[in-house]
Amino acid sequence: MNLNGTISGKTRLLGLIGNPVEHTVSPQLHNTLASATNIDVAYVPFHVEKEKLEAAVKGLMAVNVLGFNVTVPYKKDIIKYLDECSKEALLMGSVNTVKNIDGRFYGYNTDAEGFSKSFKHETGTGFKGKQVFIIGAGGAARAISVKIAKEGAGKIYIANRTPSKALEIADMVNENVSSVAEHLDISDARTSKVFSSSGIIINTTTVGMYPNMDVSPIEASFVFSKEQIVYDVIYNPKKTRLLTIAEEKGCTVVNGIGMLFYQGVSAFEIWTGIKLQEPFLSDFYNSFKKVL
Ligand code: ATR
């Protein structure tokens, strides 16, 4: 690695805080974007221990970073150390992007934006009036539920192993965005019928992720139809067991690589104020897919 000639006294720092961060691909994404757009920034990941989170945020402000990403497990905890957050990020209870604006840290959530952009890019369609079935009720499910409710989904079913968590998200969406959400117990007999009648299926759980790749988040008895779009937020492996089964049934399947890519693009746009254009974006996306 040779950084001579790329970093100067004027270079602004971008970072990532999380634990762990050692396998992140975000530096490749952002540093490539920086050189492609000729913007003088450098992106570095920082492994931060839980008890050092506040000190890390203060330190990043002290050295006047341009901004930073936040990853697991701090997307919720970070909120209390920020000066302000977007209304959407507060509803989602999750911040993955922070920008330093005149010495104040502002929090945003670009995960859900990344999900929505990649869904549209890969399928050529959106959520307006659609019946969506979300598997899981963690942070990703919460952010995606808010986003697709805002984008006019007709009905959102949130099915989880722990139904109370799905109920909590459904109530929040119904109260704050629109009355379209309902919770389900993933093991309830009715749930498989709702699954089959939903046009869009989204897995937000980690079930099927490397290294436990032989499992699916739904029962083998669930019936797919070839009209369904099945989106898995997992990108390692590129084809989870869920997507393999869905593809065999003729469904359109999409993995989480696009979500990862577009959340980064949205973060880069927030930090730099530029809007990345086509065909650059699609070309860059295609080369990013090959790197993963
Ligand atoms: P994230 O914030 O990335 O969405 P999370 O908060 O850990 O991750 O949420 C993971 C979701 O996957 C949860 O809804 C979890 O179910 P519970 O609410 O019942 O814990 C779900 N999940 C994780 N492992 C699971 C498994 N083996 N079977 C079914 N659901 C699982």
Side-chain angles (χ1 to χ4, degrees):
M1 187 164 61
N2 183 359
L3 292 174
N4 286 341
T6 57
I7 295 193
S8 75
K10 290 184 187 148
T11 305
R12 296 293 304 274
L13 187 66
L14 294 170
L16 165 71
I17 58 176
N19 182 0
V21 294
E22 284 70 18
H23 298 289
T24 178
V25 294
S26 292
Q28 275 162 279
L29 178 69
H30 290 291
N31 291 321
T32 309
L33 275 175
S35 39
T37 54
N38 217 7
I39 293 179
D40 194 6
V41 292
Y43 185 103
V44 182
F46 300 106
H47 182 122
V48 175
E49 298 298 338
K50 195 172 175 50
E51 64 279 6
K52 301 267 178 65
L53 181 61
E54 184 177 8
V57 175
K58 285 189 172 152
L60 289 169
M61 180 55 88
V63 297
N64 196 29
V65 298
L66 176 58
F68 58 97
N69 278 139
V70 185
T71 189
V72 176
Y74 303 132
K75 291 184 186 186
K76 189 173 179 196
D77 293 345
I78 191 77
I79 293 174
K80 57 177 173 288
Y81 302 122
L82 303 176
D83 295 295
E84 217 168 303
C85 288
S86 73
K87 189 166 167 262
E88 206 172 74
L90 288 178
L91 270 185
M92 293 170 180
S94 167
V95 161
N96 78 317
T97 300
V98 177
K99 183 175 184 182
N100 177 0
I101 305 174
D102 300 330
R104 287 166 60 81
F105 275 147
Y106 286 75
Y108 306 85
N109 184 304
T110 69
D111 286 328
E113 176 73 12
F115 164 78
S116 165
K117 279 189 178 162
S118 89
F119 186 93
K120 288 169 195 158
H121 180 91
E122 299 286 352
T123 67
T125 179
F127 303 99
K128 209 160 183 54
K130 303 278 175 61
Q131 180 174 316
V132 184
F133 185 101
I134 294 178
I135 308 164
R142 193 178 173 93
I144 288 171
S145 299
V146 169
K147 190 74 185 168
I148 63 179
K150 283 195 161 195
E151 294 190 7
K155 188 82 202 176
I156 303 171
Y157 290 100
I158 303 158
N160 198 36
R161 175 176 66 177
T162 312
S164 58
K165 288 198 208 164
L167 172 63
E168 203 268 314
I169 296 176
D171 283 349
M172 179 274 297
V173 169
N174 292 337
E175 278 165 32
N176 295 285
V177 190
S178 67
S179 274
V180 293
E182 204 174 303
H183 79 290
L184 295 165
D185 181 335
I186 194 95
S187 55
D188 197 84
R190 177 180 167 238
T191 301
S192 67
K193 290 197 183 71
V194 176
F195 176 92
S196 296
S197 67
S198 300
I200 299 172
I201 312 292
I202 305 163
N203 175 43
T204 67
T205 76
T206 50
V207 182
M209 190 190 280
Y210 176 86
N212 302 313
M213 298 180 296
D214 294 336
V215 285
S216 159
I218 53 161
E219 295 284 339
S221 57
F222 279 30
V223 180
F224 291 91
S225 72
K226 63 179 184 336
E227 292 75 29
Q228 284 173 321
I229 298 171
V230 182
Y231 192 111
D232 200 324
V233 301
I234 295 171
Y235 58 86
N236 183 13
K238 287 180 184 163
K239 206 171 281 173
T240 56
R241 180 150 177 74
L242 175 73
L243 293 189
T244 304
I245 298 167
E247 195 172 53
E248 280 167 12
K249 305 291 179 196
C251 305
T252 300
V253 299
V254 187
N255 66 25
I257 293 177
M259 180 172 171
L260 177 68
F261 176 79
Y262 285 104
Q263 65 76 28
V265 166
S266 293
F268 193 84
E269 290 179 340
I270 287 173
W271 292 324
T272 61
I274 65 163
K275 182 101 186 79
L276 296 165
Q277 305 290 343
E278 294 294 350
F280 166 78
L281 212 45
S282 293
D283 291 346
F284 186 46
Y285 181 35
N286 290 333
S287 56
F288 179 75
K289 275 196 269 193
K290 285 183 200 134
V291 173
L292 276 186

